[in-house]
Amino acid sequence: LGFCEKHLLLSKDNHTIIMSADNFLNFNEEEDYSEKVELCRQAYQNGDLSELNFSEEEFDYLLGFFADEFNDDLVLMLSQIAYQRHPYSSDLTVRYSDALIVNREPEKAVAILEKQLGFDSSNSDVYFLLGRGQLKMGNNELARDYISHAMTLSPEEQEEMLYTAALDYIDAGSYEFAMDYLEKINKDNPENIAIFNDMAFCLERTKRYEESIVYYEKYLDKEPFNDNVWFNVGTIYATLEKYDKAIE
């Protein structure tokens, strides 16, 4: 999932590792999952993915693994199979709905998520994905209500939710809505320089050129070697007929 993806982290130092029983179990699990990853790859290539069956935990791991590889087609197919095998799993329902939204099937995702609310009404992931689905369908006010409720349920994930939703709005060409969320992130975390480029882009698209330059330059203060951003700044100066600056 874009905002709450699960990651398995393994810490090591430079000294001899003494494996406890728990460490040994984790090592064996990683080996086991590695085999299942390759099994999925082969089945996907051979068109046999629907014949596979895993536990809920295994499906969850595999979907996270392939999501990290940005293999959207495989994730969509595998998440559908996981949902069919384990229809009462909240985690797998969320993963399948997320895959549907990524693959531009928001209506189907929303229908599944609305049903899920009936017995999972405190799950912030469900509300957030409902918001993203409604956003993709152009129902902006309803989308904002769902997203706001999701952030109420999981305030520690607010920044990630806002940023994901902002990118969705940018993708939809709704730059004013995107700016609203980006400005909230900037207010709460002014040290997050990554959003300056997105803010500048939204301002450029809405022809607020002078403001756009301010944020592009804030971004360049921290990332001075980004050629694409320098090109955007030059293009804006040319639009404003400030050709000397555009050449710079």
Side-chain angles (χ1 to χ4, degrees), residues 5-69:
E5 189 61 75
K6 297 177 181 177
H7 295 283
L8 300 178
L9 302 178
L10 179 62
S11 299
K12 296 181 180 179
D13 57 25
N14 294 322
H15 304 290
T16 302
I17 298 175
I18 301 174
M19 298 184 70
S20 67
D22 289 340
N23 285 335
F24 187 72
L25 178 62
N26 291 337
F27 178 78
N28 284 341
E29 286 176 348
E30 288 295 320
E31 288 292 305
D32 189 43
Y33 282 131
S34 178
E35 292 177 4
K36 288 177 171 59
V37 165
E38 292 308 312
L39 185 64
C40 278
R41 288 194 203 279
Q42 289 299 318
Y44 175 66
Q45 292 169 2
N46 297 333
D48 300 328
L49 205 58
S50 62
E51 297 179 13
L52 299 181
N53 192 16
F54 301 110
S55 69
E56 180 181 347
E57 181 184 45
E58 289 167 342
F59 269 123
D60 192 57
Y61 175 89
L62 291 166
L63 287 166
F65 180 89
F66 289 115
D68 286 344
E69 288 194 341

Side-chain angles (χ1 to χ4, degrees), residues 129-187:
L129 288 174
L130 273 168
R132 293 188 67 197
Q134 293 292 348
L135 187 163
K136 296 287 188 181
M137 293 160 63
N139 302 323
N140 289 320
E141 292 307 318
L142 187 54
R144 290 164 75 85
D145 287 344
Y146 277 129
I147 292 168
S148 177
H149 190 64
M151 291 189 294
T152 300
L153 292 172
S154 295
E156 73 280 1
E157 294 176 348
Q158 175 173 306
E159 185 171 325
E160 289 181 81
M161 290 184 187
L162 287 171
Y163 188 59
T164 299
L167 294 181
D168 282 341
Y169 275 124
I170 290 172
D171 184 55
S174 300
Y175 303 112
E176 294 291 352
F177 283 112
M179 272 300 294
D180 185 35
Y181 282 162
L182 292 170
E183 285 173 345
K184 286 180 181 177
I185 296 172
N186 189 42
K187 180 180 178 181

